[in-house]
Amino acid sequence: MLSRFKKLVTILFASVLALSISSTSFAIDKLHFLIGGGAGGGWDGTARGTGEALTKAGFLKGASFENMSGGGGGKALSFLINTKPENTVLVQSTPLVLRSITRHKGYVKGDDVLSYKDVVPIAGVIGDYGAIAVAKDSPFKTFSDVVAAYNKDPKSVKMAGGSVRGSMDHLIGALAFQVAGADPNNVVYVPYDAGGKALAGLLSGETQILSTGLGEVMGARDQVNIIGITAPERVADAPDVPTLKEQGFDVQFVNWRGFFGPPGMDKGMKKEIAKMLGDVQKTPEWEAVRKRNAWVNIYNPGDKFVSFLKKQTVEMTALMKKLGVI
């Protein structure tokens, strides 16, 4: 009888333990990446590069990707909020903060403005410096050449970007022109749906310069010259690319990119994904992706990420007012 009782207790203990493990463990085999812009943009590259590293390093069995353009990323953000899809993360960056501040129409829902507070911040993962690029056959060899042409005839210099006015791409170029003494509101900015189309606009001659992220043009260096980046000093992954600072234009800025979950995401799953995003940065598979894009590793998980977003909202509000965007 005692033997049977011990056996029963053992079975019950094992069952409770199994139940406990299953309720707190989120072994994620596959992850779906939701991308709020088109192919070739910074969000697209970050999501696909992260998925590539996670699968090749063995953290995931598979990764899928979905481009959902519209509303400057607002369409994908609304989809995540309204549908709450499982095992799905949204890639976002500084524009999430900027578009909430400027009340971009893609983020306005009735009387409310969507922001990072409506989703679950998981982790910031990388930083991408801003870049000014020109076509290989452009007469502009330095940013000083661009400024000289602008001062002679402001309308002769059209600036392409992979998103709407008031976006990250617009902000990078506007900052550079402002430091050069120009009124950033007078700079002709031509918005495109993601970096791929903005690059095409530059190469077709529709625009004369491209304002974008360094990672977005690293793979197109056979087609463009990068004439200035917003890093404090030259980066090791692109040592021949000059900074704007060394050319006399002290513009320093790094755009974060990270991942968000749907409202109500289980805290255990959030922590597991955040840990995965941090652990993968220690692998050679991640380093290959990072180096290819000249990214800066900035792992900023959980509550630290939220605190950062709160601080950046204050800083970006002041900057956007200074630039005259709001």
Side-chain angles (χ1 to χ4, degrees):
M1 184 73 177
L2 183 60
S3 176
R4 287 183 180 180
F5 179 75
K6 286 182 177 180
K7 188 174 182 180
L8 179 61
V9 169
T10 301
I11 292 172
L12 287 172
F13 178 76
S15 299
V16 171
L17 180 62
L19 182 62
S20 175
I21 292 173
S22 65
S23 66
T24 58
S25 176
F26 298 90
I28 303 169
D29 289 335
K30 296 181 180 180
L31 203 57
H32 186 63
F33 291 85
L34 185 61
I35 305 162
W43 289 338
D44 187 67
T46 301
R48 293 179 189 276
T50 301
E52 174 190 331
L54 287 169
T55 51
K56 286 185 175 179
F59 288 93
L60 292 175
K61 290 183 179 178
S64 55
F65 309 92
E66 182 180 0
N67 293 86
M68 188 179 289
S69 298
K75 182 178 179 180
L77 183 62
S78 294
F79 177 82
L80 190 74
I81 293 169
N82 295 329
T83 65
K84 301 177 179 62
E86 294 184 356
N87 285 20
T88 297
V89 294
L90 172 70
V91 61
Q92 261 287 357
S93 57
T94 309
L96 174 62
V97 174
L98 297 179
R99 286 166 191 158
S100 297
I101 294 170
T102 59
R103 297 183 64 86
H104 182 272
K105 62 182 180 180
Y107 287 64
V108 176
K109 305 298 175 184
D111 295 330
D112 298 323
V113 181
L114 301 182
S115 74
Y116 69 87
K117 297 177 183 178
D118 297 297
V119 286
V120 177
I122 298 173
V125 291
I126 61 105
D128 189 16
Y129 290 115
I132 304 295
V134 297
K136 279 284 187 182
D137 60 356
S138 171
F140 301 143
K141 305 304 178 187
T142 66
F143 188 64
S144 293
D145 293 340
V146 175
V147 173
Y150 174 86
N151 288 336
K152 186 176 181 180
D153 179 8
K155 292 184 179 180
S156 69
V157 180
K158 295 182 178 66
M159 180 172 69
S163 193
V164 296
R165 187 176 180 83
S167 67
M168 193 71 256
D169 287 354
H170 178 223
L171 180 63
I172 290 166
L175 278 170
F177 275 101
Q178 183 184 55
V179 171
D183 183 344
N185 287 308
N186 291 336
V187 178
V188 179
Y189 177 73
V190 183
Y192 293 86
D193 179 18
K197 291 183 179 179
L199 176 62
L202 175 73
L203 298 177
S204 70
E206 290 179 353
T207 61
Q208 287 68 52
I209 64 173
L210 170 64
S211 177
T212 185
L214 177 58
E216 294 183 50
V217 285
M218 283 293 287
R221 298 196 62 189
D222 58 333
Q223 299 173 292
V224 303
N225 288 326
I226 306 171
I227 60 173
I229 58 175
T230 61
E233 57 188 24
R234 294 196 184 201
V235 298
D237 301 310
D240 59 321
V241 175
T243 67
L244 288 168
K245 182 181 179 181
E246 73 185 64
Q247 298 177 65
F249 308 98
D250 193 3
V251 183
Q252 298 183 47
F253 194 88
V254 63
N255 174 31
W256 63 265
R257 295 201 188 103
F259 296 96
F260 296 76
M265 171 181 269
D266 189 279
K267 291 181 180 179
M269 178 171 283
K270 171 191 166 183
K271 287 181 69 174
E272 183 171 338
I273 296 175
K275 185 177 186 303
M276 187 190 304
L277 291 170
D279 289 346
V280 76
Q281 292 194 351
K282 303 169 187 175
T283 67
E285 290 82 4
W286 171 265
E287 178 58 19
V289 173
R290 187 211 63 74
K291 185 177 179 64
R292 185 175 74 215
N293 292 282
W295 291 336
V296 179
N297 282 336
I298 303 177
Y299 178 57
N300 202 15
D303 291 341
K304 291 181 180 179
F305 193 24
V306 174
S307 296
F308 168 80
L309 291 168
K310 288 179 180 178
K311 182 180 178 182
Q312 191 181 57
T313 299
V314 174
E315 293 174 345
M316 288 294 102
T317 299
L319 179 59
M320 297 294 269
K321 287 180 177 179
K322 183 179 178 181
L323 288 173
V325 178
I326 56 173

